[in-house]
Amino acid sequence: MKDKVILGTVVMLVSLNTSLTGLASQVDEARNDAEVAVINQEEVSAQRLRSQGDEYTREFLIQFHNATKKYRQAFQLGIADQAAGQTHSFDNQVEQAAYQKGREQGNQWSKENDEQEEPQIKSGGTSRHSLDQEKYPHRQPLPNQARFIARIAKHAQQVGKEFDLYPSIIIAQAALESNWGSSDLSLAPHHNLFGVKGHFGGQGTLKPTTEFINGRPRQVQDIFRSYASDIQSLRDYAKTLQQPLYNQVHRSAVKNYREATRALVGRYATDPNYDKKLNQIIESYQLTRYDDLKKDGSESGLTRGYQQLGLPPKKHVKASSHRTVSEHKKISPVISVIGGAASAGMLTGLKKILIS
């Protein structure tokens, strides 16, 4: 009898050990596949993940999220180091691959700049990566633009003061990223003014977006953060800019807003003309008036801004409910790896969507 009990126990332990070994192997495979997908910027099919089972999918998504975050940070650091002539190394294969690609991107921009710089200098021009000196004519904002400025100006001043940022840049970036508050994401119930990806407080929404995969634009679906209010969106954006990568964006570190917008290029956005786009919005609609705070912190610039917009002070006007056509298109469930060119957000928490 004792021999049978012992034999049964041995068989059970061997079976359990075999099961655990197989499970560990599946977990390792999922983690490795996720890292490879991020490194190669591969499209990941939700259907393929489901076919691998819940455990594989869970581990894949956890590692995919972690690797994506590491990739983005290392990629941006690579661009910055290439410009500064510095070098870093990483033990993690994802970070090392991303860092190298970032340096390659920075080197490519440098070569393109060198190719254009010589004829520009001969003609009396300047390098496109130098501080933007363009003079942009003042314009009267359209009704929807005036409403959007009035909608977030007070919040922008509040966040700017709290996080040492230019309110004018906050407003311009929000306008650029949300198409003046007309994008579906920027409206209630999401209030995502900057197109930030991932979850916020457990809240997120699945939306179509255009990503550049292997240099080609493709429509994919991603999770975007959902906020309870505009001020919550602005604060989350401002917290992102507290990273060391964005030191030169702060008011205390630069002489004027144009130096700050230049510091966003290659860090917050890969668009080499990102600073010019922001400067044009700021200058055209005279958003620097919101940067002018009295020493006691009162909102002199805000009141003057409302007057120039032709709106009564502190009046909150409901934004347009227009939604873009592209955001209603039905597309195949594909997950992008890195995120939008002008977005600082991350892809997170897709398990409930993919395996529900």
Side-chain angles (χ1 to χ4, degrees):
M1 180 66 181
K2 292 183 178 179
D3 291 342
K4 290 183 179 179
V5 173
I6 294 173
L7 179 60
T9 302
V10 171
V11 171
M12 181 185 69
L13 290 175
V14 170
S15 176
L16 180 60
N17 183 62
T18 302
S19 176
L20 291 175
T21 301
L23 182 60
S25 177
Q26 187 180 36
V27 168
D28 290 340
E29 181 182 0
R31 291 174 177 173
N32 182 70
D33 289 349
E35 289 192 348
V36 171
V38 172
I39 291 173
N40 296 330
Q41 302 182 37
E42 296 175 354
E43 295 179 355
V44 181
S45 168
Q47 184 176 1
R48 185 185 73 81
L49 286 182
R50 290 194 193 99
S51 68
Q52 299 293 327
D54 287 359
E55 188 63 30
Y56 176 95
T57 301
R58 186 183 72 84
E59 291 299 328
F60 182 96
L61 291 175
I62 291 174
Q63 187 64 20
F64 186 88
H65 163 64
N66 294 335
T68 298
K69 185 176 181 179
K70 291 179 180 179
Y71 190 104
R72 174 177 287 278
Q73 293 175 342
F75 180 82
Q76 292 176 329
L77 180 60
I79 293 176
D81 277 3
Q82 178 64 30
Q86 300 176 349
T87 304
H88 285 81
S89 61
F90 300 88
D91 294 330
N92 182 275
Q93 63 173 348
V94 173
E95 291 177 305
Q96 187 59 43
Y99 181 77
Q100 185 58 39
K101 288 184 179 180
R103 290 188 64 88
E104 291 173 359
Q105 179 67 72
N107 186 50
Q108 181 181 346
W109 286 353
S110 178
K111 287 182 178 179
E112 291 175 355
N113 179 62
D114 291 342
E115 291 174 358
Q116 296 189 15
E117 187 173 22
E118 185 176 351
Q120 287 177 343
I121 291 176
K122 288 181 178 179
S123 61
T126 59
S127 167
R128 65 173 180 170
H129 284 161
S130 62
L131 184 66
D132 180 23
Q133 301 288 353
E134 186 71 24
K135 300 295 182 181
Y136 300 101
H138 293 172
R139 297 178 182 177
Q140 186 68 23
L142 297 174
N144 68 305
Q145 294 172 329
R147 286 194 296 270
F148 180 73
I149 294 172
R151 168 184 162 187
I152 71 168
K154 180 179 178 180
H155 295 322
Q157 283 201 310
Q158 182 179 344
V159 171
K161 181 181 179 182
E162 183 178 349
F163 291 91
D164 188 33
L165 300 171
Y166 284 96
S168 59
I169 296 179
I170 296 175
I171 298 171
Q173 278 195 272
L176 183 62
E177 300 289 352
S178 70
N179 191 23
W180 293 97
S182 67
S183 70
D184 181 50
L185 276 172
S186 67
L187 301 173
H190 306 303
H191 299 280
N192 190 334
L193 297 171
F194 299 91
V196 180
K197 294 180 181 179
H199 282 81
F200 182 84
Q203 299 298 315
T205 180
L206 186 66
K207 294 289 182 182
T209 183
T210 300
E211 303 291 355
F212 286 83
I213 301 175
N214 295 326
R216 296 182 180 180
R218 293 188 183 182
Q219 271 210 328
V220 298
Q221 290 201 57
D222 257 333
I223 297 294
F224 289 84
R225 294 185 180 185
S226 187
Y227 303 95
S229 62
D230 288 345
I231 187 67
Q232 199 174 66
S233 174
L234 291 172
R235 278 209 173 94
D236 188 43
Y237 146 88
K239 288 178 181 177
T240 297
L241 297 186
Q242 300 310 298
Q243 300 175 28
L245 183 64
Y246 303 109
N247 284 341
Q248 296 303 309
V249 176
H250 294 85
R251 298 185 70 159
S252 59
V254 294
K255 296 178 180 178
N256 54 60
Y257 79 87
R258 291 205 178 192
E259 290 187 1
T261 57
R262 180 177 58 175
L264 290 168
V265 180
R267 292 174 174 84
Y268 190 93
T270 56
D271 182 353
N273 293 313
Y274 194 67
D275 59 334
K276 293 184 178 181
K277 293 176 181 179
L278 294 178
N279 294 340
Q280 184 173 17
I281 293 174
I282 293 170
E283 188 73 18
S284 296
Y285 304 111
Q286 304 173 64
L287 299 184
T288 53
R289 60 178 174 261
Y290 299 108
D291 297 335
D292 180 23
L293 289 176
K294 292 182 178 179
K295 292 183 179 180
D296 61 3
S298 60
E299 300 165 353
S300 59
L302 181 63
T303 301
R304 185 168 65 256
Y306 280 124
Q307 293 172 346
Q308 293 186 17
L309 290 172
L311 296 172
K314 299 185 179 181
K315 180 178 180 180
H316 297 281
V317 184
K318 187 176 181 180
S320 169
S321 60
H322 170 69
R323 299 186 178 187
T324 58
V325 176
S326 62
E327 290 173 340
H328 290 280
K329 291 181 180 179
K330 294 182 179 180
I331 58 177
S332 59
V334 177
I335 310 168
S336 74
V337 175
I338 301 178
S343 172
M346 306 296 175
L347 176 64
T348 59
L350 298 180
K351 182 173 185 288
K352 292 183 180 178
I353 295 174
L354 297 179
I355 64 176
S356 59

